[in-house]
Amino acid sequence: AEYMGTAHSYTFVGSMFVIIAALLVGLVAADAPGSNPCTWGPANYGCLSIQNANECNDESQGIQNCKTLFWDKLELPELNTESKTCQNSMKYLRQLKDSNSLPDCDSKWCSEVTENLKIVKILLKGDYSANKIAYLLSLCEES
């Protein structure tokens, strides 16, 4: 009986060790440097798209920095305008600019515009083209 008790004790201690090790790994992984892409900097993540800017920056200063330091200077690459998503999103953004109200849209990509509407409207007022905004929303890709 004494042998069985010892074996059971080792199993318990081994199980506790595994649990503690797993918890420590979880804590280290959660705080690992570079695990949050927003810490990679604006040129490497934070200002690469409107969605990233929304995720990583506050609504005023950070977004303005992306606009001033990156998006205003962005030379728009040749876009794949054969894509229906690209074509339709550019048309939608032009309608939004002309009417200043959301046109009807039931496509999946429309949520990218509506979820980032505040920034999209700022960029439209700043004379950004529909092409550039669609690119910054990742709705149009380079050709």
Side-chain angles (χ1 to χ4, degrees), residues 1 6 16 64 66 71 73 85 90-91 94 109 119 139 143:
T6 305
M16 290 305 294
Q64 188 58 43
C66 285
W71 300 339
K73 299 173 185 175
T85 298
M90 289 189 298
K91 180 180 175 184
R94 283 187 211 100
W109 58 263
I119 298 172
L139 297 172
S143 57

Side-chain angles (χ1 to χ4, degrees), residues 52-71:
N52 293 9
N54 234 355
E55 173 188 348
C56 296
N57 297 293
D58 65 40
E59 290 189 14
S60 56
Q61 189 59 42
I63 300 301
Q64 188 58 43
N65 286 343
C66 285
K67 185 180 175 315
T68 305
L69 299 174
F70 296 96
W71 300 339

Side-chain angles (χ1 to χ4, degrees), residues 50 93 96-97 99-102 113 116-128 133:
I50 291 173
L93 288 163
L96 175 61
K97 184 174 185 169
S99 68
N100 204 26
S101 63
L102 281 174
V113 176
N116 298 286
L117 189 59
K118 188 171 187 173
I119 298 172
V120 168
K121 285 189 172 190
I122 290 169
L123 298 180
L124 286 171
K125 286 181 184 175
D127 289 330
Y128 274 51
I133 295 171

Side-chain angles (χ1 to χ4, degrees), residues 70-84:
F70 296 96
W71 300 339
D72 286 352
K73 299 173 185 175
L74 176 70
E75 290 188 31
L76 195 61
E78 187 71 30
L79 299 179
N80 177 13
T81 54
E82 298 298 314
S83 157
K84 289 291 182 193

Side-chain angles (χ1 to χ4, degrees), residues 19-36:
I19 291 170
I20 291 170
L23 288 172
L24 288 174
V25 167
L27 288 174
V28 170
D31 295 328
S35 63
N36 177 355

Side-chain angles (χ1 to χ4, degrees), residues 1-42:
E2 187 176 318
Y3 178 74
M4 291 296 287
T6 305
H8 182 69
S9 296
Y10 286 130
T11 304
F12 176 75
V13 170
S15 297
M16 290 305 294
F17 176 76
V18 170
I19 291 170
I20 291 170
L23 288 172
L24 288 174
V25 167
L27 288 174
V28 170
D31 295 328
S35 63
N36 177 355
C38 293
T39 63
W40 301 349

